[in-house]
Amino acid sequence: MADAAGFDLIEISPQAAPPVCKILDYGKYKYEAQKRKADAKRKQKVVEIKELKLRPMIDTHDYEVKVKQAKKFLAEGNKVKFTMRYKGRELSANNMGKEVLDRLLEDLEGLCKLDQAPKLEGKQMMMLVSPEK
């Protein structure tokens, strides 16, 4: 029947009893599957992780600039990683850096959700946030 119609006989489910086959144009089927795959790839959103580096003794204007950048990154749909870098004696008073990160979280309330809480690793404290849907 497939040869008479000019199509191909495709075995869909060989384990079934009896095996399931379909009569269709295999070249057209492969072309449409390729188009569906390309369309799905085109529609997917790649999420990047943007990093903002801070210091514990950050000035108010510098802090506001970092908040503005974070809001822009979150609006674009990217995750934001805040890195608090300590130098010298600042490491002994690492609660100051944690307070800055907590204040950042308050200022970005409603725009983001916390993925990774502030965590001290060596001479850096890191926090990761992602945009809210």
Side-chain angles (χ1 to χ4, degrees):
M1 282 174 43
D3 283 335
F7 292 112
D8 301 311
L9 184 65
I10 310 295
E11 191 173 30
I12 303 296
S13 179
Q15 287 82 16
V20 178
C21 295
K22 219 177 197 182
I23 297 176
L24 55 93
D25 185 4
Y26 189 68
K28 184 177 178 182
Y29 172 76
K30 290 289 281 182
Y31 174 75
E32 288 173 354
Q34 180 183 1
K35 288 298 240 181
R36 281 193 303 272
K37 186 177 176 183
D39 193 38
K41 188 175 182 180
R42 193 176 324 119
K43 288 182 181 178
Q44 76 182 13
K45 171 80 171 95
V46 177
V47 177
E48 293 182 40
I49 297 179
K50 303 286 188 172
E51 184 175 15
L52 292 174
K53 296 183 179 180
L54 306 157
R55 296 288 311 274
M57 300 298 287
I58 192 167
D59 197 35
T60 55
H61 181 263
D62 296 335
Y63 174 81
E64 290 167 3
V65 169
K66 296 293 183 181
V67 169
K68 186 177 177 183
Q69 285 178 323
K71 285 180 181 179
K72 184 181 93 174
F73 292 150
L74 291 168
E76 291 171 0
N78 297 317
K79 291 185 177 187
V80 181
K81 178 181 178 182
F82 294 102
T83 305
M84 180 68 61
R85 293 181 297 170
Y86 296 101
K87 287 186 183 176
R89 286 189 230 162
E90 292 174 345
L91 195 56
S92 63
N94 61 12
N95 61 337
M96 290 170 29
K98 180 139 174 50
E99 289 170 5
V100 172
L101 291 176
D102 290 338
R103 192 171 80 190
L104 261 169
L105 210 52
E106 287 176 21
D107 290 346
L108 297 175
E109 184 110 22
L111 296 174
C112 69
K113 63 180 179 192
L114 185 65
D115 285 351
Q116 182 181 342
K119 182 171 83 172
L120 188 66
E121 293 178 3
K123 292 187 175 186
Q124 296 181 354
M125 185 179 285
M126 288 181 258
M127 175 176 76
L128 185 68
V129 296
S130 62
E132 267 189 1
K133 299 293 175 202

